[in-house]
Amino acid sequence: MASLRDRSNDAHLPAVAVTAPAEPGALPACERILLLVTEDWFALSHFKPLISTLVGMAREVVVATRSSGRMEEIAELGARVLPFDFRRASLSPVAQTTV
């Protein structure tokens, strides 16, 4: 089955292997990971295993998401939750931020 996305222009991108630390107490693979997800319930229904894995790989995992009342469940996975009200019509989360 062919990919839905043309990957012919991806040759310039470096290959990245992501692995969890080999043993408890090993140094994390990175300092901080930011995961942007439009809704907290969607993060839990689709990315719960990913969030749990990332928590074991980084010193800090931050999930920025809109709250439907389930943000505490994400925090229980070990991630810091940052409330962020995504406007679903927008294509750019960066354009929605204010400094």
Side-chain angles (χ1 to χ4, degrees):
M1 175 180 230
S3 172
L4 295 176
R5 179 165 109 50
D6 178 14
R7 298 181 188 271
S8 60
N9 293 326
D10 290 353
H12 68 283
L13 298 174
V16 177
V18 178
T19 57
E23 57 188 62
L27 293 175
C30 61
E31 287 291 318
R32 183 174 296 128
I33 297 172
L34 172 62
L35 184 61
L36 304 171
V37 185
T38 55
E39 304 280 344
D40 57 357
W41 63 265
F42 188 82
L44 290 165
S45 67
H46 289 76
F47 301 119
K48 193 172 183 178
L50 174 65
I51 294 168
S52 295
T53 300
L54 294 175
V55 165
M57 295 174 58
R59 291 190 192 275
E60 181 180 29
V61 175
V62 180
V63 179
T65 187
R66 181 178 5 193
S67 177
S68 72
R70 299 186 65 188
M71 293 174 77
E72 182 61 35
E73 292 176 62
I74 297 172
E76 289 172 0
L77 297 173
R80 183 166 64 99
V81 185
L82 180 66
F84 189 83
D85 190 14
F86 284 93
R87 290 187 292 268
R88 303 278 307 254
S90 173
L91 297 176
S92 175
V94 174
Q96 294 180 45
T97 61
T98 56
V99 179

